[in-house]
PDB file of all heavy atoms in Angstrom:
ATOM      1  N   PHE B  97       7.010   4.092  15.519  1.00  0.00           N
ATOM      2  CA  PHE B  97       6.526   4.819  14.306  1.00  0.00           C
ATOM      3  C   PHE B  97       5.418   5.806  14.610  1.00  0.00           C
ATOM      4  O   PHE B  97       4.431   5.390  15.200  1.00  0.00           O
ATOM      5  CB  PHE B  97       6.097   3.806  13.217  1.00  0.00           C
ATOM      6  CG  PHE B  97       7.214   3.076  12.637  1.00  0.00           C
ATOM      7  CD1 PHE B  97       7.849   2.002  13.278  1.00  0.00           C
ATOM      8  CD2 PHE B  97       7.622   3.454  11.355  1.00  0.00           C
ATOM      9  CE1 PHE B  97       8.844   1.341  12.722  1.00  0.00           C
ATOM     10  CE2 PHE B  97       8.696   2.694  10.752  1.00  0.00           C
ATOM     11  CZ  PHE B  97       9.321   1.658  11.493  1.00  0.00           C
ATOM     12  N   SER B  98       5.722   7.110  14.396  1.00  0.00           N
ATOM     13  CA  SER B  98       4.755   8.086  14.913  1.00  0.00           C
ATOM     14  C   SER B  98       4.343   9.093  13.711  1.00  0.00           C
ATOM     15  O   SER B  98       3.789  10.145  14.157  1.00  0.00           O
ATOM     16  CB  SER B  98       5.434   8.873  16.032  1.00  0.00           C
ATOM     17  OG  SER B  98       6.516   9.611  15.564  1.00  0.00           O
ATOM     18  N   THR B  99       4.594   8.806  12.569  1.00  0.00           N
ATOM     19  CA  THR B  99       4.179   9.743  11.464  1.00  0.00           C
ATOM     20  C   THR B  99       2.641  10.030  11.658  1.00  0.00           C
ATOM     21  O   THR B  99       1.870   9.090  11.840  1.00  0.00           O
ATOM     22  CB  THR B  99       4.464   9.098  10.090  1.00  0.00           C
ATOM     23  OG1 THR B  99       5.766   8.629  10.130  1.00  0.00           O
ATOM     24  CG2 THR B  99       4.256  10.129   8.961  1.00  0.00           C
ATOM     25  N   PRO B 100       2.274  11.238  11.595  1.00  0.00           N
ATOM     26  CA  PRO B 100       0.817  11.569  11.904  1.00  0.00           C
ATOM     27  C   PRO B 100      -0.241  10.812  11.139  1.00  0.00           C
ATOM     28  O   PRO B 100      -1.206  10.407  11.676  1.00  0.00           O
ATOM     29  CB  PRO B 100       0.832  13.073  11.546  1.00  0.00           C
ATOM     30  CG  PRO B 100       2.143  13.583  11.789  1.00  0.00           C
ATOM     31  CD  PRO B 100       3.037  12.482  11.337  1.00  0.00           C
ATOM     32  N   ASN B 101      -0.041  10.620   9.802  1.00  0.00           N
ATOM     33  CA  ASN B 101      -1.105  10.013   9.050  1.00  0.00           C
ATOM     34  C   ASN B 101      -0.956   8.548   8.638  1.00  0.00           C
ATOM     35  O   ASN B 101      -1.442   8.149   7.639  1.00  0.00           O
ATOM     36  CB  ASN B 101      -1.523  10.850   7.946  1.00  0.00           C
ATOM     37  CG  ASN B 101      -2.011  12.228   8.320  1.00  0.00           C
ATOM     38  OD1 ASN B 101      -2.910  12.315   9.133  1.00  0.00           O
ATOM     39  ND2 ASN B 101      -1.427  13.330   7.865  1.00  0.00           N
ATOM     40  N   ARG B 102      -0.219   7.799   9.461  1.00  0.00           N
ATOM     41  CA  ARG B 102       0.056   6.492   9.009  1.00  0.00           C
ATOM     42  C   ARG B 102      -1.086   5.503   9.163  1.00  0.00           C
ATOM     43  O   ARG B 102      -1.114   4.459   8.559  1.00  0.00           O
ATOM     44  CB  ARG B 102       1.321   5.904   9.843  1.00  0.00           C
ATOM     45  CG  ARG B 102       1.333   6.080  11.244  1.00  0.00           C
ATOM     46  CD  ARG B 102       2.562   5.391  11.915  1.00  0.00           C
ATOM     47  NE  ARG B 102       2.646   4.052  11.506  1.00  0.00           N
ATOM     48  CZ  ARG B 102       1.979   3.080  12.082  1.00  0.00           C
ATOM     49  NH1 ARG B 102       1.094   3.393  13.082  1.00  0.00           N
ATOM     50  NH2 ARG B 102       2.100   1.832  11.704  1.00  0.00           N
ATOM     51  N   ASP B 103      -2.079   5.939   9.966  1.00  0.00           N
ATOM     52  CA  ASP B 103      -3.374   5.206   9.986  1.00  0.00           C
ATOM     53  C   ASP B 103      -4.425   6.182   9.626  1.00  0.00           C
ATOM     54  O   ASP B 103      -4.511   7.327  10.179  1.00  0.00           O
ATOM     55  CB  ASP B 103      -3.626   4.704  11.419  1.00  0.00           C
ATOM     56  CG  ASP B 103      -4.796   3.779  11.456  1.00  0.00           C
ATOM     57  OD1 ASP B 103      -5.885   4.148  11.056  1.00  0.00           O
ATOM     58  OD2 ASP B 103      -4.643   2.591  12.033  1.00  0.00           O
ATOM     59  N   PRO B 104      -5.341   5.788   8.712  1.00  0.00           N
ATOM     60  CA  PRO B 104      -6.315   6.751   8.222  1.00  0.00           C
ATOM     61  C   PRO B 104      -7.444   7.024   9.303  1.00  0.00           C
ATOM     62  O   PRO B 104      -8.066   8.092   9.088  1.00  0.00           O
ATOM     63  CB  PRO B 104      -7.020   5.958   7.031  1.00  0.00           C
ATOM     64  CG  PRO B 104      -6.675   4.594   7.228  1.00  0.00           C
ATOM     65  CD  PRO B 104      -5.441   4.589   7.963  1.00  0.00           C
TER      66      PRO B 104
END
Side-chain angles (χ1 to χ4, degrees):
Chain B
F97 289 76
S98 67
T99 313
N101 296 305
R102 47 180 305 282
D103 189 307

